[in-house]
């Protein structure tokens, strides 16, 4: 009973403290050579902000770079961690010239004239509708915060023409959009060999092992019974169709605890959920199997074979609203393991590449491997340095 009374008082006092700090610190000089990066309000070193931070570090500009870090993440030299929602956090946010974030700021903040707020977003192109396009599924509190956040945003990033056209409406946003691709996609235009070696070494795989990445998204129920891929049959089918020795990387969505997924891992069925960088797994893999995940949209760009396996597709069609139907994508769609194996066996590389090109042309991808560079160039221009 006492704990129930103390917690609301503590939260109220903490919010009050943060507001007081912000309102004091905004009167101090703005440091135009300071950047605060945030990945999911204190998440690990990853997603789009990571690649922009790496571009800053590569240039060795001597700027003050801070990473919002809820835990003791292993950050590269040159990035200073700052815990979220602390007095130090309020100080750096209030005095930094630039904020870079990949999700909504669902907390109190006070943006100053002259500050540059870049919203990279975390999803890129995907099936699921976002923000205003699925407003009925969002809480009133979230929508209120999101609208405030969008008013303060100075820049959104887009990976393709389709995204540019849809994001303004979806994000309650009428400001500029940088049409240079998204930073985390830059890796797809680099030499893949170092990433392939890194992934193989991480999982202790012999050189030359081919990789299939199974990366389904989460369901609102957080159930995992639909992730019933027949791994043994999959490995046999892949070897029959493509040759060589194969292993499967199983990557659960962050919203699904891989510990709750009842799977016995082996030396050929590997737990890739804790691996820090999804893009590296995509680069290192030879094929991908997914369902409704946005990662499926990366493979047409890379040009590697992709397959969709979703046994609950008919149910999801009735209950979910998507930007695209699965049938519109350049991948085959399987509702059973048997269908999936048959589609892999009869995979037509030439026809697949043709469908990928048509799909990419329709969407109008901007990515060319220089999105991070374009963002940093723009920051330097805005900060007049």
């Amino acid at each position: 009973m006492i704990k129930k009374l103390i917690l609301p008082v503590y939260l109220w006092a903490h919010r009050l403290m943060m507001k007081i700090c912000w309102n004091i610190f905004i009167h101090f000089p703005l440091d135009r050579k300071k950047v605060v990066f945030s990945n999911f309000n204190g998440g690990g070193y990853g997603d789009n902000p990571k690649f922009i931070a790496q571009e800053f570090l590569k240039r060795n500009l001597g700027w003050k770079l801070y990473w919002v870090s809820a835990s003791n993440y292993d950050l590269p030299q040159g990035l200073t961690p700052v815990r979220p929602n602390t007095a130090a956090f309020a100080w750096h946010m209030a005095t930094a010239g630039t904020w870079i974030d990949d999700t909504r700021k669902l907390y109190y903040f006070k943006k100053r004239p002259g500050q540059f707020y870049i919203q990279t977003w975390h999803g890129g192109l995907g099936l699921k509708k976002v923000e205003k396009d699925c407003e009925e599924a969002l809480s009133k509190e979230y929508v209120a915060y999101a609208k405030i956040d969008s008013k303060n945003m100075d820049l959104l990033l887009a990976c393709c023409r389709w995204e540019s056209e849809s994001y303004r409406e979806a994000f309650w946003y009428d400001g500029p959009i940088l049409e240079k691709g998204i930073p985390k996609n830059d890796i797809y235009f680099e030499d893949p060999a170092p990433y392939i070696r890194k992934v193989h070494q991480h999982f202790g795989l012999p050189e030359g092992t081919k990789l299939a990445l199974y990366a389904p998204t989460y369901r609102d129920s957080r159930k995992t019974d639909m992730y019933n891929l027949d791994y043994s049959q999959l490995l046999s089918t892949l070897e029959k169709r493509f040759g060589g020795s194969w292993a499967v990387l199983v990557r659960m969505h962050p919203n699904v605890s891989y510990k709750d997924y009842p799977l016995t891992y082996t030396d050929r069925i590997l737990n890739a959920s804790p691996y820090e960088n999804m893009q590296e797994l995509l680069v290192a893999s030879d094929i991908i199997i997914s369902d409704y995940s946005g990662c499926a949209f990366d493979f047409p760009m890379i040009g590697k074979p992709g397959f969709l396996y979703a046994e609950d597709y008919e149910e999801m069609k009735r209950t979910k609203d998507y930007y695209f139907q699965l049938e519109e994508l350049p991948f085959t769609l399987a509702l059973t393991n048997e269908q999936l194996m048959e589609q892999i066996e009869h995979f037509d590389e030439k026809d697949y590449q043709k469908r990928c090109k048509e799909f990419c042309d329709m969407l109008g991808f901007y990515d060319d491997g220089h999105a991070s560079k374009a963002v940093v160039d723009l920051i330097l221009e805005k900060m007049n340095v």
Side-chain angles (χ1 to χ4, degrees), residues 53-71:
Q54 286 179 335
E55 179 66 21
F56 261 107
L57 294 172
K58 190 191 305 179
R59 297 194 190 193
N60 195 25
L61 297 169
W63 282 36
K64 299 169 188 171
L65 307 175
Y66 292 86
W67 188 274
V68 180
S69 178
S71 299

Side-chain angles (χ1 to χ4, degrees), residues 142-159:
Y142 178 91
V143 170
Y145 269 116
K147 289 180 178 178
I148 294 170
D149 189 57
S150 286
K151 271 188 185 173
N152 283 279
M153 282 161 31
D154 296 300
L155 188 71
L156 260 176
L157 311 185
C159 69

Side-chain angles (χ1 to χ4, degrees), residues 338-352:
E338 290 72 23
Q339 287 180 352
L340 176 61
M341 304 311 154
E342 185 178 344
Q343 289 164 2
I344 293 173
E345 278 192 45
H346 296 95
F347 176 72
D348 185 329
E349 176 75 29
K350 187 175 180 181
D351 179 63
Y352 175 74

Side-chain angles (χ1 to χ4, degrees), residues 180-196:
K180 296 290 187 180
I182 55 177
K184 64 183 178 182
N185 286 357
D186 287 348
I187 193 174
Y188 301 149
F189 298 86
E190 298 177 21
D191 178 8
Y195 299 109
I196 294 171

